[in-house]
Amino acid sequence: MWIVTPNSPSPKADSAKSATSPASAPSVPSTPSARRAAWAGFIGTALEQYDFVIYGTASALVFSKLFFPNISPAAGILASFSTYAVGFAARPLGGLFFSRYGDRLGRKWVLVMTLLLMGGSTLAIGFLPTYGHVGILAPILLLICRMAQGLGAGAEQSGGATLLTETARPGRRGRTASLVMSGAALGTALGAAAWILVQLLPDEAVLTWGWRLVFASSLLVTVTALILRRKLRESPVFEEIKQDRAEPPAPVKEVFTRGRKPLLLVILMNVGSNAQSYTFQVFMASYLITTVGVAEDFPPKALLLGALCGSVAAFGFGTLSDRLGRRPVYAALMASLVVLPVPAFLAVNTGSAVAITIVICLGFILPAYGSVGVQTSFFPELFGSRYRYAGVTMGREISAVLGGGIAPLVAAGLQTAFGGSWVPIAAYMMLIAAVSTWAALKAPETLDRDLTDPRDAGAVPERPSTGVPRQKGAGLPTEA
């Protein structure tokens, strides 16, 4: 039971707080602390996205030959994307496990653990034997490493977003938290650059040892991120909440019992952008090579330019949400995704390098990073202080499975089932984006709300009681 301490405000004062009121920010982080948190979030998510991009690119370019050589090329691509999807399937499990500790032990502890798990798994992939060496054991080992990647990634971006949102000053949360996605875009750019360099080697070298260098290079990013995160301070909002606790929290349980509405909103708002993001980043590389007929060294170059555009877009849209509000900016982005797929495929199928590059850049600017640049502050602000980390993590990772995890697989399956036509793929992308647009319009505005408030955004204030202590679920006491 949550207990009111002698220094807590009265029930009347507590209930008078609006769930969307501006933060009083009793604990304002110092500039060096906020800057260190921003860099730690930036580099950490760069590693996560680097891991996922080099794996996704390898799935499109080499894994079907190395780990699934005894089946047709089309089936090999499907098998490669299936192992890619497994990483997303593991993300909610990782989120479920780590989010419990993120709301108990702190955001920093989880971010260090997930960093080590992701970096170690990616490095291990670079040392795996291929099908030609150990037969069926090779894809099994690849699957295990991919699952470990997913477990670590399950709490990475949401942890970074929560920490930066809680560390930033009101009025700057959108731009500060968006650095998480600017870091992710950097990771995408680094992953694309790594593949560009490796593809300068002869084809035989790429398939023997070149691809291994790409995965082994993650060690450098891991070490850099670890150094930064070990010096990181805990979120001041979390420290304040921790001091006021009367008993250990049960964040995962509370998300499913008290936070179902914001959880469902996060799932529905993220599923559309996530699906289109990974369709452009992963499936499109395979589509360009096998259907449009571009050279294999072209997609990584287009991905590199797109990622650089995405990094700017994440920061730009995050900053814009500080001025115009989270909901209108995010809803406009989701609406743009409803109309994007048809002109995108029409342009790509011309075979024009310029048209293809523009489409890839739009894929990064709108669904991949622009929308997620708003999510990094919008989603944490939707949840109350008791289970914020768990709520953001579970919402994002469940939708990641339903969206990005299966999107390349669904797209490849639709293409095979409909004789290579892109129309069913575009229809799938438009439908799922329409769902996210509807959810965004239903969400409450959260701009600069009080992050120490235990209630979810948009919650109706409880009727004050007279002389009766607050009961379980009434929320943590906060400083006046």
Side-chain angles (χ1 to χ4, degrees):
M1 179 171 68
W2 300 104
I3 303 173
V4 179
T5 61
N7 294 326
S8 303
S10 67
K12 181 177 180 179
D14 182 69
S15 62
K17 272 190 176 183
S18 168
T20 56
S21 62
S24 57
S27 300
V28 178
S30 64
T31 299
S33 175
R35 188 180 299 118
R36 189 178 298 117
W39 275 108
F42 183 88
I43 298 297
T45 49
L47 169 66
E48 179 202 347
Q49 198 65 15
Y50 180 80
D51 291 350
F52 270 63
V53 166
I54 62 176
Y55 191 101
T57 307
S59 297
L61 300 180
V62 300
F63 278 174
S64 61
K65 303 171 186 176
L66 295 171
F67 292 91
F68 309 97
N70 294 335
I71 53 180
S72 70
I77 290 293
L78 284 172
S80 295
F81 284 153
S82 295
T83 61
Y84 182 79
V86 164
F88 280 87
R91 288 175 67 153
L93 298 178
L96 186 66
F97 176 79
F98 284 111
S99 61
R100 176 182 180 184
Y101 298 100
D103 280 312
R104 285 190 173 195
L105 303 180
R107 289 57 165 130
K108 173 185 173 180
W109 182 90
V110 172
L111 290 176
V112 171
M113 293 299 103
T114 56
L115 177 71
L116 293 173
L117 182 57
M118 286 189 308
S121 303
T122 304
L123 183 63
I125 291 174
F127 293 95
L128 288 181
T130 63
Y131 190 93
H133 294 112
V134 295
I136 193 65
L137 181 61
I140 293 175
L141 293 174
L142 180 66
L143 195 68
I144 293 172
C145 289
R146 179 60 179 164
M147 289 182 66
Q149 269 189 332
L151 290 172
E156 172 62 36
Q157 281 189 8
S158 55
T162 300
L163 187 143
L164 285 182
T165 300
E166 292 181 340
T167 301
R169 297 172 182 270
R172 297 173 63 92
R173 289 177 188 160
R175 64 182 296 182
T176 302
S178 70
L179 289 173
V180 170
M181 295 317 301
S182 292
L186 173 64
T188 300
L190 291 175
W195 274 109
I196 290 172
L197 292 175
V198 166
Q199 285 182 316
L200 295 175
L201 299 170
D203 290 344
E204 183 180 353
V206 173
L207 291 175
T208 52
W209 55 269
W211 69 274
R212 297 183 185 277
L213 289 181
V214 177
F215 286 90
S217 64
S218 69
L219 179 63
L220 298 176
V221 187
T222 303
V223 172
T224 303
L226 183 61
I227 292 172
L228 283 171
R229 287 195 172 175
R230 289 191 63 184
K231 296 180 180 180
L232 187 65
R233 288 183 60 184
E234 187 52 78
S235 152
V237 172
F238 174 80
E239 291 287 5
E240 180 177 333
I241 294 169
K242 185 178 179 180
Q243 292 175 3
D244 289 332
R245 283 177 177 154
E247 65 177 36
V252 176
K253 179 181 178 181
E254 287 204 61
V255 168
F256 289 106
T257 56
R258 300 181 184 276
R260 289 190 297 268
K261 181 177 179 180
L263 177 65
L264 182 60
L265 283 173
V266 168
I267 291 173
L268 295 179
M269 283 196 290
N270 188 46
V271 70
S273 65
N274 211 262
Q276 289 211 21
S277 171
Y278 285 97
T279 301
F280 280 105
Q281 292 186 71
V282 179
F283 169 76
M284 195 60 76
S286 172
Y287 183 84
L288 289 172
I289 294 169
T290 61
T291 303
V292 181
V294 304
E296 288 192 357
D297 62 348
F298 178 76
K301 296 175 183 177
L303 290 173
L304 173 59
L305 181 59
L308 295 176
C309 293
S311 180
V312 177
F315 185 78
F317 282 111
T319 302
L320 188 63
S321 74
D322 280 332
R323 297 177 178 270
L324 304 181
R326 315 290 186 226
R327 182 171 62 181
V329 174
Y330 193 77
L333 284 166
M334 291 301 99
S336 72
L337 299 188
V338 177
V339 300
L340 178 63
V342 171
F345 274 102
L346 289 174
V348 162
N349 284 316
T350 65
S352 165
V354 174
I356 293 172
T357 302
I358 291 174
V359 168
I360 295 296
C361 288
L362 285 175
F364 276 84
I365 289 171
L366 297 175
Y369 293 101
S371 62
V372 188
V374 182
Q375 287 181 10
T376 48
S377 54
F378 195 6
F379 289 177
E381 289 173 339
L382 282 170
F383 291 92
S385 59
R386 292 189 302 262
Y387 43 75
R388 176 170 295 121
Y389 195 126
V392 175
T393 300
M394 296 308 300
R396 289 193 80 250
E397 300 314 324
I398 291 173
S399 57
V401 176
L402 301 175
I406 65 172
L409 184 60
V410 169
L414 289 172
Q415 184 185 17
T416 302
F418 288 88
S421 174
W422 57 267
V423 175
I425 303 172
Y428 160 71
M429 295 169 68
M430 294 168 68
L431 176 62
I432 202 165
V435 171
S436 290
T437 304
W438 175 84
L441 294 173
K442 292 293 183 180
E445 180 55 68
T446 64
L447 182 63
D448 291 340
R449 70 167 300 223
D450 182 0
L451 295 183
T452 63
D453 194 324
R455 292 164 298 176
D456 299 323
V460 178
E462 297 177 4
R463 178 177 297 177
S465 56
T466 305
V468 180
R470 286 175 293 172
Q471 299 300 312
K472 183 176 181 180
L476 288 169
T478 57
E479 292 182 9

